[in-house]
């Protein structure tokens, strides 16, 4: 099974002219990280919820965290301060043609708060706090109710406004792919 | 922010100098015959441009507590195609520039691979390396401006710079790990306070992405990602993750903060666009350009830069009559893929009003549009581009009879 996969991969590789994919190592440099090292580094969360840790929280739980750890910069009501942007709406795609949050997945909000906030002490929140304060930020944006429970299964199901207003990413980029909205001469 | 670009280096030199003094002091006793080894100090240890050269990055932004203010390259002062590292443009979302000890730094590759691996800097440098000249450009570069800042090629177009990057191709490292068949994206992560994150299609990662440890012959500068930066040639530079520490091989884009809501464009029809990736063909005349002054009629070479995310610049045409007629400019060698290309055009100014502009065509045949043509493609008004990113329109500069040069965009 594994062998067949490799053969297939090798065939695909040859077809795509990519060198040495799915073969043994050529140079033998580097070390194998321990499972623990990988777990510690691997904090990113995907739109389908892959990577979310256990934990839970509601906007009600998050109000206190917000007042204590976020309000100083983002304002007591999330509308921002002299130095820092507000959290309503989320994101700032340009030009602002769409009213409301422009972040397409709730996991994106969770992941950013988890990795980068609070600004001066990133990584200091425990999972329950991240779920709760994410719920609070979404609540400020009228996206969830104050009692909605966010956890590893419900977070990716939150329907963000405008999710379907975005043109999906193109995974199949290959060398030579034509640029979207390019100015190519008519006849070619 | 707003600090003088040279102050960092000076601070470094001061501490380096102190260290050198200490070492010399320690070795002197009892060696009266042999002179102490000469240790050059200050500007002799690491040189600086003349104080008469006007080499400073500038900004249109205000100081904030974060470095989200763009510092722009003085394109009008530079020649050739290489941007000196100390003048490379800056645009970050980090809380302070990381101060990374390369002996502690590790690069982790994992996810959908047969063999996850971590590399020290020493191990990375043992791989076969390549040096490649590539531009980086911010997706907000060249956004048309209103007000006095528009009279400067630096402030409108200075969010692009070009360097010789040296490092290991990401494809080499990924092959070492054995990418599995179901993988289709990588997620690259920096070691800054934000752990800045970007998703890149596997096709690009395997094509020409470079894990760079050197820039213009010296280690990548701290502001540019020391000790490791991911260079993604020809693509919007938000993908060029600085302080690279992790490459996660996955099967979907992760929609990280700075690639979804924060760096999306909204099309005129209201549709949002993530992942613009490749930058369009672009060129701009850097001399004469906005804010400069021609002392009088006579010969004056027109010169500027052209580049394209589509690969090699095939030709640049220059017009001196606002686009009514164009003639082909000379491309100065080297002309390289995903690199700034220097063009030159001989011109004799007759003292009459003139509008100078350049037009780039890349190897795919894509042509740099005028702002009116660009608006037509997107079915927008030209005002759209004053707010949107990814504008690659033609830049006209108007020469008045008194020799002053101003921005002639509407």
């Amino acid at each position: 099974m594994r062998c067949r996969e490799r053969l297939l991969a090798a065939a695909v590789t040859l077809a795509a002219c990519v060198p040495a994919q799915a073969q043994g190592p050529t140079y033998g440099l580097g070390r194998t990280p321990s499972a623990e090292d990988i777990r510690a580094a691997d904090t990113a969360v995907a739109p389908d919820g892959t990577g979310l840790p256990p934990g839970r929280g509601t906007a009600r739980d998050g109000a206190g965290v917000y007042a204590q750890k976020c309000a100083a910069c983002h304002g007591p009501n999330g509308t921002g301060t002299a130095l820092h942007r507000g959290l309503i709406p989320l994101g700032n795609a340009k030009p602002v043609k769409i009213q409301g949050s422009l972040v397409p997945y709730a996991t994106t909000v969770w992941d950013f708060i988890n990795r980068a906030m609070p600004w001066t002490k990133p990584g200091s929140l425990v999972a329950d706090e991240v779920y709760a304060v994410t719920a609070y930020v979404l609540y400020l944006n009228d996206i969830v109710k104050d009692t909605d429970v966010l956890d590893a299964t419900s977070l990716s199901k939150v329907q963000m406004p405008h999710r379907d207003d975005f043109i999906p990413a193109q995974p199949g980029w290959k060398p030579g792919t034509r640029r979207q909205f390019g100015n190519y001469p008519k006849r070619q | 922010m707003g600090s003088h670009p040279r102050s960092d280096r000076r601070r470094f030199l001061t501490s380096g100098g102190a260290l050198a003094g200490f070492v010399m002091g320690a070795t002197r006793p009892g060696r009266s015959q042999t002179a102490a080894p000469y240790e050059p100090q200050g500007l002799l240890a690491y040189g600086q441009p003349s104080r008469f050269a006007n080499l400073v990055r500038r900004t249109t932004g205000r100081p904030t507590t974060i470095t989200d203010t763009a510092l722009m390259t003085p394109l009008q002062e530079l020649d050739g195609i290489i941007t000196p590292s100390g003048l490379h443009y800056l645009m970050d979302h980090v809380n302070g520039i990381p101060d990374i000890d390369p002996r502690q730094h590790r690069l982790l590759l994992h996810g959908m691979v047969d063999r996850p691996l971590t590399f020290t800097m020493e191990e990375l440098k043992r791989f076969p390396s390549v040096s490649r000249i590539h531009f980086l450009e911010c997706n907000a570069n060249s956004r048309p401006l209103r007000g006095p800042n528009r009279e400067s090629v630096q402030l409108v177009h200075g969010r692009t710079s070009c360097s010789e990057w040296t490092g290991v191709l990401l494809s080499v490292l990924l092959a070492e790990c054995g990418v599995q068949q179901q993988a289709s994206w990588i997620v690259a992560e920096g070691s800054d306070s934000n752990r800045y994150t970007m998703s890149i299609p596997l096709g690009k990662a395997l094509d020409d992405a470079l894990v760079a440890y050197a820039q213009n012959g010296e280690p990548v500068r701290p502001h540019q990602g020391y000790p490791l930066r991911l260079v993604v040639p020809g693509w919007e530079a938000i993908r060029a993750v600085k302080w690279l520490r992790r490459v996660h091989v996955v099967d979907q884009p992760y929609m990280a903060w700075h690639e979804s809501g924060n760096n999306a464009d909204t099309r005129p029809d209201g549709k949002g666009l993530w992942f613009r990736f490749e930058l369009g063909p672009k060129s701009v005349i850097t001399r004469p350009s906005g804010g400069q002054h021609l002392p009088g009629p006579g010969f004056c070479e027109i010169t500027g830069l052209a580049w394209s995310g589509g690969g090699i610049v095939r030709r640049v045409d220059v017009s001196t009559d606002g686009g009514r007629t164009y003639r082909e400019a000379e491309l100065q060698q080297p002309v390289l893929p995903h690199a700034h290309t220097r063009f030159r055009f001989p011109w004799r100014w007759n003292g009459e009003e003139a509008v100078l502009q350049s037009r780039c065509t890349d190897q795919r045949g894509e042509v740099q549009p005028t702002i009116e043509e660009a608006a037509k493609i997107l079915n927008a008004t030209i005002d759209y581009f004053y707010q949107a990113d990814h504008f690659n329109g033609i830049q006209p500069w108007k020469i008045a009879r008194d020799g002053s040069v101003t921005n002639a965009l509407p």
Side-chain angles (χ1 to χ4, degrees), chain B residues 179-190:
Chain B
V179 174
Q180 292 171 352
Q181 213 205 324
Q182 69 275 30
S184 53
W185 291 76
I186 63 156
V187 177
E189 184 182 83

Side-chain angles (χ1 to χ4, degrees), chain B residues 152-392:
Chain B
S152 159
V153 69
Q154 177 171 9
L155 294 182
V156 182
H157 302 282
R159 289 182 196 82
T160 183
S161 308
C162 185
S163 304
E164 184 203 62
W165 300 97
T166 302
V168 185
L169 285 170
L170 183 54
S171 59
V172 170
L173 300 179
L174 286 172
E176 207 64 5
C177 298
V179 174
Q180 292 171 352
Q181 213 205 324
Q182 69 275 30
S184 53
W185 291 76
I186 63 156
V187 177
E189 184 182 83
S191 34
D192 53 289
S193 59
N194 253 351
R195 284 176 291 140
Y196 182 88
T197 304
M198 277 287 156
S199 310
I200 297 162
L202 186 62
K204 181 66 174 175
L206 292 175
D207 183 30
D208 57 3
L210 183 62
V211 176
Y213 50 77
Q215 177 185 10
N216 297 334
E218 63 182 4
V220 173
R221 298 267 174 109
H223 280 97
Q224 295 302 328
Y226 183 86
L228 275 186
R229 181 169 199 178
L230 184 64
V231 175
V232 187
W235 285 23
E236 43 182 14
I238 53 171
R239 311 272 151 207
V241 175
K242 297 177 178 178
W243 313 291
L244 182 71
R245 73 164 196 183
R246 186 160 77 100
V247 172
H248 190 190
V249 181
V250 293
D251 61 358
Q252 57 184 315
Y254 267 39
M255 310 310 296
W257 187 268
H258 291 289
E259 66 187 353
S260 55
N262 201 45
N263 272 304
D265 281 349
T266 326
R267 248 181 15 186
D269 64 4
K271 279 276 184 195
L273 302 164
W274 313 298
F275 297 114
R276 296 293 295 275
F277 294 152
E278 188 184 306
L279 295 159
K282 195 185 279 188
S283 68
V284 63
I285 295 171
T286 55
R287 284 201 305 263
S289 64
Q292 296 182 338
H293 190 269
L294 299 186
F299 188 81
C300 173
E301 183 182 69
I302 294 171
T303 185
L305 294 170
W307 62 97
S308 174
I312 290 176
V313 171
R314 202 167 66 196
R315 63 184 281 167
V316 174
D317 297 290
V318 167
S319 171
T320 57
D321 56 11
R324 266 195 301 277
T325 58
Y326 279 97
R327 276 193 299 135
E328 192 167 351
E330 181 205 336
L331 300 186
Q332 176 175 293
Q333 293 297 329
V335 178
L336 299 166
H338 306 126
H340 282 176
T341 298
R342 171 68 56 179
F343 66 85
R344 301 185 181 282
F345 187 86
W347 181 53
R348 193 170 293 279
W349 184 42
N350 61 11
E352 293 301 314
E353 222 175 77
V355 176
L356 312 184
Q357 61 193 50
S358 59
R359 182 179 68 192
C360 173
T361 304
D362 71 14
Q363 71 181 70
R364 296 217 187 118
E366 194 188 341
V367 184
Q368 182 181 13
T370 61
I371 193 168
E372 290 83 6
E373 287 164 344
K376 223 165 159 191
I377 292 165
L378 280 181
N379 199 12
T381 64
I382 60 172
D383 280 345
Y384 170 80
F385 297 108
Y386 284 76
Q387 304 164 55
D389 285 348
H390 296 102
F391 178 63
N392 72 321

Side-chain angles (χ1 to χ4, degrees), chain A residues 2 23 26-28 31 42-43 48 84 92 94-95 98 108 115-116 119 165-167 177 179 182-183 185, chain B residues 65-66 95 115 118 123 176 189 194-195 197 252 255 262 266 270 272-274 364-367 387 389:
Chain A
R2 178 138 220 124
Q23 290 176 359
T26 308
Y27 303 100
R31 253 152 266 243
D42 188 9
T43 58
D48 65 6
H84 297 289
N92 59 348
K94 292 144 285 200
I98 307 175
T108 300
R115 67 176 56 242
W119 189 242
D165 290 342
F166 283 83
I167 294 169
T177 300
R179 210 171 69 86
N183 183 32
Chain B
T65 53
I66 61 169
N95 184 10
R115 295 171 297 277
T118 59
E123 285 162 346
E176 207 64 5
E189 184 182 83
N194 253 351
R195 284 176 291 140
T197 304
Q252 57 184 315
M255 310 310 296
N262 201 45
T266 326
L273 302 164
W274 313 298
R364 296 217 187 118
E366 194 188 341
V367 184
Q387 304 164 55
D389 285 348

